[in-house]
Amino acid sequence: MTRVMASGVFDLIHPGHISYLEQARSYGDELVVVIACDNTVRAKKHEPITPETMRARVVGALKPVDRVIIGGDGDIFDTVRYVKPDVIVLGYDQGFDADDLRRQLAEKGLGDIRVVRATECAEDLNATRRIIARIRAMGGAP
């Protein structure tokens, strides 16, 4: 069995998320999705629109997903140790450098984990920031 790990905020589910999760699922038999905890979202992106437990519940209900966990706000490698993936699929716009991540995984003795990057979804509103920008442009919430 090949276990795949994908991760993200998943604040407002959109076609880009669905594409990412479908691509990730295609790399193995089991897809484990790590939802960024609220503290991580605050520190690295913005105030979460929906709380981590709600995001986990929504993502867990999606067809490609087998299991969801909420990530910690510490070392990402602790989560990798816990999940024990064979493949890590990075989102097309996630800030990780795939080669650097491979090197760090090897240095930390986490085995031979394949790291791949998903391709961008062609949909117009394929990112949360684009959805928020569209709402603002239409005179919605700030």
Side-chain angles (χ1 to χ4, degrees):
M1 180 177 81
T2 301
R3 179 174 297 143
V4 180
M5 184 176 107
S7 64
V9 176
F10 300 98
D11 224 352
L12 298 173
I13 299 297
H14 52 71
H17 289 132
I18 303 303
S19 175
Y20 171 43
L21 296 174
E22 288 172 341
Q23 289 178 62
R25 184 67 169 85
S26 75
Y27 284 97
D29 306 302
E30 178 189 24
L31 176 58
V32 179
V33 179
V34 180
I35 304 294
C37 71
D38 289 344
N39 288 339
T40 296
V41 178
R42 283 186 193 102
K44 297 191 177 199
K45 288 197 162 199
H46 53 78
E47 182 64 26
I49 296 167
T50 53
E52 61 194 25
T53 54
M54 184 183 296
R55 292 183 281 123
R57 184 172 181 199
V58 170
V59 171
L62 299 174
K63 187 176 180 179
V65 179
D66 295 300
R67 187 164 49 115
V68 173
I69 64 168
I70 297 172
D73 54 4
D75 186 344
I76 64 165
F77 299 103
D78 290 340
T79 303
V80 174
R81 283 182 193 90
Y82 175 76
V83 173
K84 297 180 176 71
D86 301 294
V87 182
I88 295 174
V89 181
L90 303 173
Y92 85 92
D93 63 348
Q94 288 179 338
F96 293 101
D97 176 273
D99 291 331
D100 188 47
L101 181 56
R102 283 184 203 97
R103 181 188 55 74
Q104 290 181 54
L105 290 165
E107 285 176 1
K108 295 186 181 293
L110 290 169
D112 186 23
I113 300 172
R114 183 176 175 204
V115 178
V116 296
R117 185 166 301 276
T119 59
E120 183 175 8
C121 172
E123 300 285 335
D124 179 41
L125 294 176
N126 67 352
T128 300
R129 66 185 173 279
R130 290 182 186 150
I131 294 171
I132 292 170
R134 174 80 55 92
I135 292 168
R136 286 181 174 150
M138 295 172 70

